[in-house]
Amino acid sequence: MTSPEREFINKFLSLATLNAPALPADYKKSLHDVDNLGVALPPLRYKYDHKRA
Amino acid sequence: MSANAKLARTLARFEARIENQDFYEAHQTLRTIANRYVRSKNYQEAIDLITQGAQSFLRAKQGGSATDLIFYLLEVYDTAQVKADDASVSRLIQLLVAIDPEEPNLKDVVTGMNNWSVKFGDYKFGDPYLHAVIGSKLIDGGHVYEAERYLVLGTHDSCEKYITLVWEWFEQTNDLATVGEFFSRLVFNYLFISNLQSAYTAKDQFLQKLIEKYSPKHEEINKDGFRMYYFESHSDLNFLQLLLLTCQTKDAGLYNNLKSHYAGSIEKYATQLDFLGQEYFGIKVQKPVNFMQDILSGILGGK
């Protein structure tokens, strides 16, 4: 039996790919034209240890 | 004596002092001579002298003197109204590469550099090549949140660096339940600036690493050129992948459909989704109504 989520994804993808998307998948607004960075993301609960990387 | 010969002689004397560990003297002399150049508006000589001086101090591991000279260089850039072009940016990049990432001034130095490139360049948030180098230096110094912003606004290499950073950060927690929090940063930050290309690169690379290392139960779905991984126990990862495709369609109906299915995710990402709603689907965010304010601003002719 498939899960309700899997079923939703199937239907959703069928709808979403019915027409060609408005933007190509490799679309990239030029950084010259970027004038808004969106909203600040909340900090993660974990600290990054740069000495371990 | 030609200006170049004079400059070379000054630098030779300066180098000799550095070799003798006479850092204070070297610093003072160089500043005095650079000042003289600035006052007589010989900016190019001043810039060459200060840059070379800063490089020598960096080689001699004198971070304090070196960063002082870098700030001075930025002052001269500002006074001389130096445009952010290849030559002026790469001069800063070379200095930045040589800075010790543990330098206590590092954040101020990079902010100063970026502010100059904002003021005298064509990019509202600063020069992408400068950002790429700033981003990696900040990672090396452990300033990850600052690094993140620069990497997102950097070059193609910065995208790879950003993905690696978020992946390593996640790996350090070694807690599979938190993977969505990490992955969401990549997706949102690139969607915010309408960089679908990097958002897709991040999606593919990050999720492939996840599958290779932890083999979570998943299934690959291919639908008319859109490829995604369905994860049985990570519905937030599914949601974020679908969000990417939905933004690409700019179809508000689909967007609302997606949001209504993933109630838990939309609560967690409410402000992010409000922004994307406006950016891609023209959905205005309803501000809470304040009648008194509306009446007053109506009377005063504002709004």
Side-chain angles (χ1 to χ4, degrees):
Chain A
M1 200 187 86
T2 53
S3 75
E5 188 188 5
R6 182 69 179 83
E7 257 170 57
F8 168 79
I9 292 176
N10 254 347
K11 282 190 205 136
F12 188 84
L13 287 181
S14 297
L15 272 174
T17 54
L18 214 51
N19 302 308
L23 300 169
D26 61 356
Y27 177 76
K28 182 185 173 193
K29 190 194 263 187
S30 160
L31 285 177
H32 285 290
D33 302 324
V34 170
D35 52 14
N36 193 330
L37 300 181
V39 296
L41 302 177
L44 291 163
R45 283 175 287 160
Y46 304 88
K47 267 192 78 131
Y48 173 75
D49 180 0
H50 66 289
K51 309 260 191 233
R52 267 175 65 191
Chain B
M1 205 189 319
S2 77
N4 264 340
K6 235 164 118 185
L7 193 67
R9 229 181 54 174
T10 310
L11 279 166
R13 248 182 311 165
F14 172 77
E15 291 291 349
R17 288 197 170 121
I18 293 218
E19 246 165 68
N20 291 333
Q21 311 262 307
D22 203 350
F23 300 121
Y24 180 81
E25 268 300 304
H27 193 165
Q28 291 308 312
T29 316
L30 189 124
R31 255 192 174 269
T32 311
I33 298 170
N35 261 333
R36 221 174 287 154
Y37 284 131
V38 173
R39 255 180 286 131
S40 56
K41 296 198 166 52
N42 286 327
Y43 295 124
Q44 197 50 53
E45 278 90 348
I47 287 170
D48 290 343
L49 181 64
I50 301 167
T51 307
Q52 302 230 30
Q55 287 286 13
S56 302
F57 276 129
L58 288 173
R59 273 194 298 273
K61 307 268 173 258
Q62 297 296 306
S65 294
T67 51
D68 174 76
L69 289 183
I70 293 173
F71 288 126
Y72 188 30
L73 175 66
L74 292 170
E75 254 178 72
V76 177
Y77 265 21
D78 203 81
T79 313
Q81 312 228 335
V82 173
K83 288 260 159 299
D85 58 20
D86 283 354
S88 54
V89 168
S90 60
R91 197 177 288 119
L92 298 186
I93 287 178
Q94 281 167 27
L95 290 167
L96 202 49
V97 167
I99 291 184
D100 179 355
E102 307 290 335
E103 167 61 42
N105 271 336
L106 179 65
K107 281 204 267 182
D108 292 335
V109 170
V110 302
T111 307
M113 288 180 172
N114 196 52
N115 285 350
W116 162 78
S117 86
V118 168
K119 192 168 169 192
F120 294 102
D122 301 329
Y123 298 91
K124 191 179 176 201
F125 296 102
D127 187 88
Y129 290 94
L130 193 54
H131 289 167
V133 183
I134 290 177
S136 11
K137 194 52 83 167
L138 286 170
I139 296 178
D140 294 343
H143 312 287
V144 275
Y145 292 107
E146 290 85 355
E148 200 175 25
R149 264 293 138 97
Y150 286 108
L151 291 175
V152 170
L153 295 167
T155 59
H156 185 72
D157 287 349
S158 313
C159 174
E160 306 280 330
K161 281 227 168 73
Y162 185 33
I163 298 166
T164 309
L165 169 69
V166 177
W167 173 256
E168 282 173 355
W169 200 342
F170 162 65
E171 254 188 330
Q172 286 185 2
T173 74
N174 211 16
D175 175 7
L176 201 51
T178 65
V179 66
E181 290 174 43
F182 289 88
F183 181 60
S184 73
R185 296 188 91 77
L186 296 163
V187 173
F188 282 123
N189 274 329
Y190 282 122
L191 281 179
F192 287 160
I193 60 163
S194 296
N195 186 344
L196 293 177
Q197 191 179 56
S198 295
Y200 272 109
T201 306
K203 167 184 94 77
D204 290 337
Q205 292 192 9
F206 188 93
L207 296 180
Q208 271 159 25
K209 283 177 197 280
L210 178 74
I211 290 167
E212 270 166 38
K213 171 138 191 193
Y214 296 93
S215 346
K217 217 164 173 202
H218 71 281
E219 179 190 337
E220 194 175 332
I221 306 176
N222 249 308
K223 181 87 190 160
D224 289 328
F226 177 75
R227 205 161 48 87
M228 72 171 279
Y229 297 107
Y230 164 70
F231 295 95
E232 229 177 75
S233 3
H234 296 281
S235 77
D236 48 352
L237 295 183
N238 302 333
F239 168 73
L240 290 162
Q241 292 178 83
L242 292 172
L243 179 65
L244 194 43
L245 172 67
T246 310
C247 286
Q248 211 189 324
T249 67
K250 298 186 94 169
D251 182 328
L254 277 174
Y255 184 59
N256 288 327
N257 185 356
L258 180 69
K259 279 173 49 170
S260 62
H261 190 84
Y262 287 94
S265 292
I266 67 154
E267 219 171 277
K268 198 155 89 195
Y269 302 127
T271 53
Q272 290 90 316
L273 293 172
D274 278 350
F275 181 84
L276 294 181
Q278 225 156 321
E279 194 66 17
Y280 289 87
F281 310 101
I283 302 169
K284 291 257 182 300
V285 179
Q286 294 277 320
K287 287 204 193 112
V289 185
N290 182 335
F291 287 110
M292 268 323 279
Q293 204 181 350
D294 277 358
I295 292 166
L296 274 174
S297 67
I299 293 169
L300 299 170
K303 258 261 140 151

